[in-house]
Amino acid sequence: MLNALEVFTTVVVGVMVGVEFSVAFVVNRILDALPEDSGQLGRAHGGRMLGAVMPVWYIGSLVLSAVWAIAGWDRPGAGLVVTAGALLILSVIMSILLLVPINNRSKTWTAENRPEDWKEQLNRWDRFHYVRVAVIIAAFTLLVAALT
């Protein structure tokens, strides 16, 4: 049963990493290349859509990692799982303190109501997101290493 939990947790975190990596390095670059304000409107829509799903995914990944760490405490790799869990906690804290406030503002923007510094705010979100992606990649790597 523990083996199934380990694999399931690793897959869930891995898919989350893939989605967030894609947002950072593919989707946002595509949106930013669109003419006029189309990219900002696309980001607003993405913020609404992913903003509803990602909290469950982040917290779920953290809970799965915690259950793995507790259930496998006496097994090799437990320290890696605990460290991965700590990184996932950091990613949640980063999300709440740094990314969500910008996302909550930007997902309501239209051409008529967006602030003058909207591009700077999106660039700030992108920088924070790159760091968060690095953190969850590190967590995923530790979970993979704990499988062996």
Side-chain angles (χ1 to χ4, degrees):
M1 186 67 158
L2 182 56
N3 288 340
L5 173 65
E6 293 169 348
V7 170
F8 182 72
T9 302
T10 304
V11 169
V12 167
V13 173
V15 174
M16 180 178 73
V17 166
V19 169
E20 293 290 36
F21 185 91
S22 176
V23 166
F25 297 103
V26 179
V27 174
N28 283 349
R29 291 182 182 203
I30 291 169
L31 292 173
D32 291 344
L34 293 174
E36 299 174 17
D37 63 350
S38 300
Q40 182 269 308
L41 296 174
R43 280 179 174 242
H45 179 66
R48 288 187 297 274
M49 187 179 78
L50 289 173
V53 174
M54 296 315 285
V56 174
W57 211 337
Y58 273 83
I59 299 298
S61 295
L62 176 56
V63 168
L64 286 168
S65 296
V67 171
W68 176 359
I70 292 166
W73 187 251
D74 59 341
R75 295 177 55 154
L80 296 172
V81 179
V82 169
T83 305
L87 290 172
L88 291 172
I89 290 170
L90 176 61
S91 74
V92 169
I93 291 169
M94 289 177 64
S95 297
I96 292 168
L97 296 179
L98 303 173
L99 290 120
V100 169
I102 297 170
N103 192 59
N104 284 344
R105 288 190 303 272
S106 68
K107 69 184 182 182
T108 64
W109 293 341
T110 65
E112 294 78 31
N113 72 355
R114 65 180 173 230
E116 288 185 29
D117 70 337
W118 68 273
K119 287 183 182 180
E120 290 81 11
Q121 290 190 52
L122 292 181
N123 287 335
R124 189 176 319 117
W125 188 93
D126 286 341
R127 287 190 306 273
F128 291 146
H129 184 63
Y130 295 145
V131 174
R132 180 175 62 178
V133 169
V135 168
I136 64 174
I137 287 172
F140 174 66
T141 302
L142 291 170
L143 292 176
V144 170
L147 289 172
T148 58

